[in-house]
Amino acid sequence: MQPYNYPSKYLENAVEEFAKLPGIGRRTALRLVLHLLNKPKEEVEQFSATLNEMVQNIHFCSICHNISDNDICSICSSTSRDKTTICVVETIKDVMSIENTMQYKGLYHVLGGVINPMEGVGPADLNIESLVNRLKSNDINEVIMALSATTEGDTTNFYIYKKIKDYNIVVTTLARGVAFGNELEYTDEITLGRALLNRVKFNNSFSVE
Amino acid sequence: MQPYNYPSKYLENAVEEFAKLPGIGRRTALRLVLHLLNKPKEEVEQFSATLNEMVQNIHFCSICHNISDNDICSICSSTSRDKTTICVVETIKDVMSIENTMQYKGLYHVLGGVINPMEGVGPADLNIESLVNRLKSNDINEVIMALSATTEGDTTNFYIYKKIKDYNIVVTTLARGVAFGNELEYTDEITLGRALLNRVKFNNSFSVE
């Protein structure tokens, strides 16, 4: 694609800013900026004010590293959550996904990613130390490892497991198997193999309902 | 999709603002906002400052309604452009597309859309009056109608043509035919029919090169 000849440097700057966002190229960025230009000035100022307000006011929970409006997030400070179970996830999005299942009432711990030497992410870049400290100083019965079902996720699982295996805490991982709605014909052999090995008694498979 | 339980109202507000943009749903908006949250605060403030700067400083050219940093855009104020030809387009993006072809050296007139009764856009909502005034008061030889090849575009073409047909100005439209790279098999019959009717002598078809 040819570079555009922008009729205005202000327009160009705004397009460049939008094009920095993931999955947004220059063409889409231009469409978004022209859309904003068609709006009243106040709406665009509102847009930028909201972003500024967010970065200035948002906190990360000092216990679980989830996003929060306060120093301690609403999940960690809730009295109705099960404080003996911690679910370890990669990102804030994963917390939101698990919360949406309405199946989990424990606490979380957001690692901020997984160990990935190829991308230069080592254990020190993740919130692993604070997890170990939480497990040491609190009365935790179970840690649920809910990381991606990838090599990097598995590596991180093992790394954390080795650190905490002496603490007398049950460590579990998410069940792996054929996803709901998937046809066997299109399920890859690793998933199918694991699903066979970890087969469950018929009644059990409906126990969450 | 279930509504997310946002862990922070600032996060939610920012997601709502992004989700107002065309083609961006809540899921993408969340991804963009979380991406911004991972960046240093200054980058996000830079992002909003650029948007604010744009809406505060950008002008629309008082002659052709193109976007401009000044009262008169760089095309209208250029001395090297052919000031006897005006190309009528729908949007600023069309100006940029035509400029990218490097085939046109005349001036532009941005209508701001086409007549579309279904969406409540009438002639009075478009920059048609200012076009007629430009044609009356300047020495224009040719008006090139470069609107969409749709019913609405054709309606607008006819409306403008009726208004200006007595001014002794040549009115032309973009050539319609089989697009470069298209295979006949997949060309729709209206396009193919028109391309047959408007067939050109073999040499002519390479005259732009």
Side-chain angles (χ1 to χ4, degrees):
Chain A
M1 189 187 136
Q2 268 187 295
Y4 276 121
N5 287 315
Y6 292 97
S8 152
K9 73 171 189 309
Y10 298 109
L11 179 73
E12 183 169 4
N13 292 343
V15 170
E16 292 298 326
E17 285 293 335
F18 267 103
K20 282 183 196 164
L21 297 174
I24 295 196
R26 282 222 168 58
R27 206 179 270 264
T28 308
L30 177 64
R31 191 161 54 85
L32 298 179
V33 171
L34 290 179
H35 170 87
L36 286 177
L37 273 179
N38 276 333
K39 296 272 158 195
K41 216 192 237 190
E42 292 69 33
E43 280 191 34
V44 181
E45 285 167 349
Q46 164 78 30
F47 183 97
S48 353
T50 306
L51 281 187
N52 281 340
E53 207 180 33
M54 178 181 73
V55 291
Q56 276 149 17
N57 290 299
I58 223 163
H59 289 73
F60 290 90
C61 174
S62 59
I63 299 174
C64 74
H65 308 280
N66 190 9
I67 277 178
S68 170
D69 285 350
N70 307 301
D71 184 48
I72 310 248
C73 76
S74 54
I75 295 175
C76 286
S77 58
S78 161
T79 51
S80 63
R81 311 279 309 204
D82 166 15
K83 294 196 190 283
T84 64
T85 310
I86 292 181
C87 179
V88 178
V89 294
E90 290 172 39
T91 67
I92 290 143
K93 243 175 174 166
D94 299 333
V95 174
M96 290 162 79
S97 302
I98 295 179
E99 283 297 285
N100 270 352
T101 67
M102 317 260 264
Q103 300 288 349
Y104 182 66
K105 288 292 155 218
L107 306 179
Y108 291 95
H109 193 87
V110 180
L111 288 186
V114 280
I115 296 170
N116 190 341
M118 295 292 283
E119 294 192 357
V121 183
D125 301 314
L126 305 174
N127 301 318
I128 293 179
E129 207 187 313
S130 60
L131 172 65
V132 175
N133 291 336
R134 270 179 92 179
L135 299 181
K136 259 192 240 172
S137 55
N138 292 284
D139 208 12
I140 308 292
N141 295 331
E142 183 179 357
V143 169
I144 305 171
M145 302 301 297
L147 306 181
S148 299
T150 59
T151 318
E152 291 77 18
D154 284 346
T155 308
T156 314
N157 277 341
F158 281 118
Y159 182 88
I160 293 175
Y161 178 70
K162 274 203 319 199
K163 289 226 158 204
I164 64 179
K165 69 179 182 327
D166 300 329
Y167 291 174
N168 195 25
I169 297 170
V170 179
V171 180
T172 56
T173 67
L174 292 186
R176 303 219 178 139
V178 183
F180 183 76
N182 273 15
E183 291 175 49
L184 282 206
E185 191 180 342
Y186 303 112
T187 303
D188 67 285
E189 51 269 41
I190 296 178
T191 302
L192 200 52
R194 285 201 190 188
L196 259 173
L197 282 175
N198 301 320
R199 64 194 179 277
V200 287
K201 285 210 171 142
F202 193 67
N203 282 341
N204 276 359
S205 64
F206 295 99
S207 61
V208 271
E209 304 286 308
Chain B
M1 188 187 137
Q2 266 187 295
Y4 276 120
N5 286 316
Y6 292 96
S8 152
K9 74 171 191 308
Y10 299 109
L11 180 74
E12 180 168 6
N13 292 342
V15 170
E16 292 298 326
E17 285 293 334
F18 266 102
K20 282 183 197 164
L21 296 174
I24 295 194
R26 278 218 173 62
R27 205 179 271 264
T28 308
L30 178 64
R31 193 162 52 86
L32 297 179
V33 171
L34 290 180
H35 169 88
L36 286 177
L37 272 180
N38 275 332
K39 295 275 159 194
K41 214 192 236 187
E42 291 70 32
E43 279 190 35
V44 181
E45 285 166 350
Q46 164 78 30
F47 183 98
S48 351
T50 306
L51 281 187
N52 281 341
E53 207 180 31
M54 178 182 75
V55 290
Q56 275 150 18
N57 290 298
I58 223 161
H59 288 75
F60 290 90
C61 173
S62 59
I63 299 174
C64 73
H65 307 282
N66 190 10
I67 277 179
S68 169
D69 286 349
N70 305 301
D71 184 49
I72 309 245
C73 77
S74 54
I75 296 175
C76 286
S77 57
S78 160
T79 51
S80 63
R81 311 280 308 203
D82 167 16
K83 293 196 189 284
T84 63
T85 311
I86 291 180
C87 178
V88 178
V89 294
E90 287 171 40
T91 67
I92 289 142
K93 242 175 175 167
D94 300 333
V95 174
M96 290 163 78
S97 301
I98 295 179
E99 282 297 285
N100 270 351
T101 68
M102 316 260 263
Q103 300 287 350
Y104 180 68
K105 289 293 155 212
L107 305 179
Y108 291 94
H109 193 88
V110 180
L111 288 184
V114 280
I115 297 170
N116 190 341
M118 293 292 284
E119 294 191 359
V121 181
D125 301 313
L126 305 173
N127 301 318
I128 293 178
E129 207 186 313
S130 60
L131 171 65
V132 175
N133 289 338
R134 269 179 95 180
L135 300 180
K136 258 192 237 169
S137 54
N138 292 283
D139 206 10
I140 309 291
N141 295 332
E142 182 178 356
V143 169
I144 304 171
M145 301 301 297
L147 305 182
S148 297
T150 58
T151 319
E152 290 79 17
D154 284 345
T155 309
T156 314
N157 278 340
F158 280 118
Y159 182 88
I160 293 176
Y161 178 71
K162 275 203 320 207
K163 287 226 156 201
I164 64 178
K165 68 178 183 321
D166 300 330
Y167 289 174
N168 194 26
I169 297 171
V170 179
V171 180
T172 56
T173 68
L174 291 186
R176 303 220 177 137
V178 183
F180 183 74
N182 272 16
E183 291 175 50
L184 282 205
E185 191 179 343
Y186 303 112
T187 304
D188 68 284
E189 51 269 41
I190 297 178
T191 301
L192 201 52
R194 284 201 191 190
L196 259 175
L197 282 177
N198 300 321
R199 65 192 178 279
V200 287
K201 285 211 171 143
F202 193 67
N203 282 341
N204 277 358
S205 63
F206 295 97
S207 61
V208 267
E209 304 283 309

